[in-house]
Amino acid sequence: MTGTEFSKGQLISRYGEISVVETKPLTVDKPYVIVGLPEVGLVGVIATSHIVGELKMTDVGYLDSEMLPPVVTIHDSEPKYPLRIFQRDRILLVISEVSLPAYFIFPLTRAIVDWAKSKGAEFVVGLSGLPTPNRTEIEKPSIIGIATTPETKDLLSKSNVPPFEQGVIVGAYALLLRESLRKEQPNITLFAESHHQFPDPGASASILEALSRILNVDINVKALLEKAEEIRLKARELMRQTQQSMEAMSKAQERGTPSVYV
Amino acid sequence: MYYSRRKKTIFDTIEALRKEMDRIFEEYFEALTPETSLYDFERRGLTPLTEVRELEDEIVVKVDLPRVSREDIKIQANENELKIEAPLTQRYKPDLWSPFCSRVEFDGFRKVIPLPAPVDPNRARAKFKDGILQVRLPKKITGTAIPVE
């Protein structure tokens, strides 16, 4: 961290180029920090957006940087930052409403992990999709997970989430995992079988069912599945921009044969 | 590790320069090419998200068509392109944009997809499941058969 300041009732923590601004006091003991960034099938963004609505989470802050696109979103006549933080009980949630440039992902994941550590997070949770060629044939996408500590591995196992045993992950969630390992911040990252270039609410619903078991929190996905077609229509532009950003991160490696041997 | 002992000739340098120039031109023209908009305001049409994969003997095109019925989809193909038209079962009015843009209602998807290699459209197969259209187009076989002695 490069500095903290308290100004006008807001706590501002600076992590290199990125500021994390807490607009409301956060006194959460051992929170779970869930991260929803635009990636494969927009699985993480669709899932976290649903959690915010379903759990009626409170808007408690945002992340800001000069490296972010010049975008403000407007909700209920209020201008909002595109990268926001929500809270409910022990859950802190970071969500991006816009696609993020590839060069921003590294400082962003580093800031999220540093901030989570400063909050004493029990673990960070990444929600993503894994491109699956025959996704159209799959009625209910399967979920696998990666955990970084014996405790989180045990939790995954008790929650009936099979481990991601072998393979390659590229992109934002790979960096989130790497930073978590480097900072010794426990991390659980879940992956759903997903469409690669199309928004996939079905994959998001499956991942939320697994997350419910892990956090022991009831997240109803019925509404998400009912709104699936509307979500797919709304999320098209974000999906396309995300696709361009993923290409810049060589994300296609996940779809092909990985160039690793051991 | 393998090291080449061959000395670089003037031709190697020219070849490397040519490749670099090609790369610069490709990047330049890519930046100039306007992106196809996902929204055709004049015709009230949506351009669907698509995924085109070229395999050894066929081209597989996937098209994302939410809020569409299978019986309404029209597909036409020739050797070089695939044309998709599919009306929405219910008009789509985007509410995430500015209030002025959201006055527009869209009534269907339309797209002409250029194919990366010539295909035989008569052998193409299509299926539609959960709002995803998948079209498999076998590549056109050209050339003369060569007997193996």
Side-chain angles (χ1 to χ4, degrees), chain A residues 43-64:
Chain A
V43 172
V45 172
I46 295 170
T48 46
S49 171
H50 183 72
I51 299 172
V52 169
E54 191 65 24
L55 299 186
K56 296 183 173 54
M57 298 184 83
T58 309
D59 189 337
V60 293
Y62 59 87
L63 286 87
D64 196 16

Side-chain angles (χ1 to χ4, degrees), chain A residues 240, chain B residues 29-37:
Chain A
R240 185 169 71 160
Chain B
F29 285 111
E30 240 171 55
L32 282 183
T33 309
E35 283 181 12
T36 313
S37 171

Side-chain angles (χ1 to χ4, degrees), chain A residues 75 132-139 195-199 228-230 232-237 239-240 244 255, chain B residues 35-39 46-51 53 62-67 92 95-96 109 127 129-132:
Chain A
H75 293 284
T132 308
N134 62 338
R135 169 67 184 93
T136 329
E137 314 302 323
I138 297 164
E139 214 59 53
H195 290 299
H196 185 223
Q197 301 184 16
F198 305 152
E229 283 199 330
E230 192 187 331
R232 283 168 59 193
L233 280 166
K234 279 184 178 174
R236 289 158 9 95
E237 192 64 55
M239 184 73 256
R240 185 169 71 160
Q244 287 161 355
R255 281 199 300 169
Chain B
E35 283 181 12
T36 313
S37 171
L38 291 181
Y39 301 90
L46 301 169
T47 307
L49 294 171
T50 53
E51 196 179 310
R53 285 174 68 208
K62 283 187 188 173
V63 190
D64 191 30
L65 298 173
R67 207 182 277 182
Y92 171 55
D95 57 1
L96 285 175
F109 289 102
K127 62 178 176 178
K129 190 167 181 277
D130 298 331
I132 309 272

Side-chain angles (χ1 to χ4, degrees), chain B residues 70-111:
Chain B
R70 185 207 331 240
E71 54 275 17
D72 296 333
I73 302 171
K74 286 182 186 158
I75 310 171
Q76 275 188 310
N78 63 32
E79 280 188 14
N80 305 308
E81 57 187 25
L82 182 68
K83 186 179 173 188
I84 309 284
E85 281 189 355
L88 294 170
T89 52
Q90 188 193 343
R91 285 186 172 185
Y92 171 55
K93 189 176 174 182
D95 57 1
L96 285 175
W97 303 344
S98 75
F100 306 122
C101 284
S102 62
R103 285 177 190 155
V104 184
E105 287 187 335
F106 296 92
D107 55 20
F109 289 102
R110 297 178 194 98
K111 187 166 186 178

Side-chain angles (χ1 to χ4, degrees), chain B:
Chain B
M1 198 176 282
Y2 170 80
Y3 293 97
S4 171
R5 291 184 177 210
R6 190 170 72 88
K7 269 191 177 176
K8 267 192 177 179
T9 66
I10 182 73
F11 299 108
D12 293 329
T13 311
I14 291 169
E15 180 59 16
L17 262 174
R18 190 189 61 79
K19 280 184 181 167
E20 182 60 13
M21 290 299 284
D22 282 351
R23 190 189 62 77
I24 290 167
F25 272 104
E26 260 174 41
E27 278 182 11
Y28 177 73
F29 285 111
E30 240 171 55
L32 282 183
T33 309
E35 283 181 12
T36 313
S37 171
L38 291 181
Y39 301 90
D40 179 348
F41 284 89
E42 280 160 22
R43 295 168 66 198
R44 295 177 183 250
L46 301 169
T47 307
L49 294 171
T50 53
E51 196 179 310
V52 180
R53 285 174 68 208
E54 184 176 358
L55 305 178
E56 188 67 35
D57 56 352
E58 64 176 354
I59 290 163
V60 182
V61 180
K62 283 187 188 173
V63 190
D64 191 30
L65 298 173
R67 207 182 277 182
V68 161
S69 285
R70 185 207 331 240
E71 54 275 17
D72 296 333
I73 302 171
K74 286 182 186 158
I75 310 171
Q76 275 188 310
N78 63 32
E79 280 188 14
N80 305 308
E81 57 187 25
L82 182 68
K83 186 179 173 188
I84 309 284
E85 281 189 355
L88 294 170
T89 52
Q90 188 193 343
R91 285 186 172 185
Y92 171 55
K93 189 176 174 182
D95 57 1
L96 285 175
W97 303 344
S98 75
F100 306 122
C101 284
S102 62
R103 285 177 190 155
V104 184
E105 287 187 335
F106 296 92
D107 55 20
F109 289 102
R110 297 178 194 98
K111 187 166 186 178
V112 177
I113 304 158
L115 301 171
V119 297
D120 178 356
N122 297 318
R123 293 194 294 134
R125 291 165 293 141
K127 62 178 176 178
F128 185 66
K129 190 167 181 277
D130 298 331
I132 309 272
L133 175 71
Q134 182 171 286
V135 188
R136 304 187 87 96
L137 302 121
K139 283 187 184 170
K140 192 177 175 187
I141 300 163
T142 51
T144 311
I146 302 168
V148 180
E149 290 171 14

Side-chain angles (χ1 to χ4, degrees), chain A residues 175-209:
Chain A
L175 284 176
L176 197 66
L177 266 164
R178 255 167 52 176
E179 275 305 297
S180 298
L181 285 171
R182 201 160 73 88
K183 303 280 169 53
E184 295 183 343
Q185 167 60 56
N187 178 309
I188 290 176
T189 302
L190 301 178
F191 297 90
E193 290 179 305
S194 166
H195 290 299
H196 185 223
Q197 301 184 16
F198 305 152
D200 197 336
S204 303
S206 284
I207 220 165
L208 285 177
E209 285 172 350

